Amino acid sequence: MANDLMNKNDDFMDMGSMMSNLMNNFFGPRDELWANDRRNSAMRSDLTENDKEYRLQVELPGLDKKDIKVDYDQSNGILTVSGTLNSSAEEKDKENNVIRSERRYGNYSRSYHIPSVDQDKISAKYENGILSLELPKSSESINHHI
């Protein structure tokens, strides 16, 4: 019974979400990565771990390699991936009149707690909108057993 009471509003949307969905659907398909809807996670990522390293893959479509920044703070084990998007698309007719112009701008950042990384051996690759990071564990974390 408690579950029925707690979930009684799951089938309803709040007014903000309803208006957001209406506006986004009215103007055509949207790029969900850069949407303001909090339910869709920006910078989707996969983090895996084995005995020797962590591997992180982050979706960053539309960004140039030069607009991506990766920082690792060894003191607290926080890895921060950030990017700046500066994109525009313009469609013109035969007379060079602009029919449609869309621009997307923004700064995006996401942090991950990844302790005991050998920051001197971190490697990164950006290909097809996916940032791939290899984060080797420091010797302290590999040999530390209790």
Side-chain angles (χ1 to χ4, degrees), residues 34 43 56 58-60 63-72 79-85 106-112 126 131 133:
W34 309 113
M43 298 177 66
L56 177 66
V58 183
E59 291 181 4
L60 297 167
L63 293 180
D64 288 333
K65 188 177 183 178
K66 65 179 174 45
D67 295 328
I68 300 171
K69 184 177 175 185
V70 179
D71 294 306
Y72 183 73
L79 176 84
T80 303
V81 177
S82 56
T84 302
L85 179 67
N107 296 315
Y108 304 92
S109 178
R110 186 161 178 192
S111 295
Y112 308 83
Y126 182 65
L131 174 66
L133 297 165

Side-chain angles (χ1 to χ4, degrees), residues 10-146:
D10 281 352
D11 294 332
F12 297 102
M13 300 175 101
D14 61 55
M15 185 58 81
S17 292
M18 192 168 21
M19 290 304 293
S20 176
N21 287 337
L22 174 67
M23 295 305 286
N24 287 326
N25 291 331
F26 180 77
F27 289 111
R30 63 183 182 152
D31 183 351
E32 290 195 34
L33 177 66
W34 309 113
N36 289 327
D37 190 350
R38 290 278 185 203
R39 292 174 295 164
N40 295 322
S41 176
M43 298 177 66
R44 291 186 175 128
S45 57
D46 297 321
L47 178 62
T48 59
E49 175 186 14
N50 61 38
D51 291 339
K52 296 182 180 184
E53 69 183 359
Y54 299 96
R55 289 180 182 239
L56 177 66
Q57 290 189 313
V58 183
E59 291 181 4
L60 297 167
L63 293 180
D64 288 333
K65 188 177 183 178
K66 65 179 174 45
D67 295 328
I68 300 171
K69 184 177 175 185
V70 179
D71 294 306
Y72 183 73
D73 186 344
Q74 186 118 20
S75 66
N76 59 13
I78 300 294
L79 176 84
T80 303
V81 177
S82 56
T84 302
L85 179 67
N86 185 0
S87 173
S88 63
E90 189 172 272
E91 294 178 19
K92 297 182 179 187
D93 64 9
K94 293 177 184 176
E95 289 83 35
N96 262 353
N97 296 319
V98 176
I99 308 171
R100 177 179 160 195
S101 178
E102 293 185 1
R103 291 172 186 78
R104 297 182 300 173
Y105 303 95
N107 296 315
Y108 304 92
S109 178
R110 186 161 178 192
S111 295
Y112 308 83
H113 182 251
I114 306 175
S116 304
V117 170
D118 186 347
Q119 67 182 10
D120 296 328
K121 295 182 181 176
I122 295 174
S123 64
K125 180 174 82 170
Y126 182 65
E127 188 173 72
N128 297 325
I130 304 289
L131 174 66
S132 299
L133 297 165
E134 292 183 5
L135 307 134
K137 293 181 179 180
S138 67
S139 58
E140 295 172 7
S141 69
I142 293 173
N143 297 327
H144 183 75
H145 295 284
I146 299 175

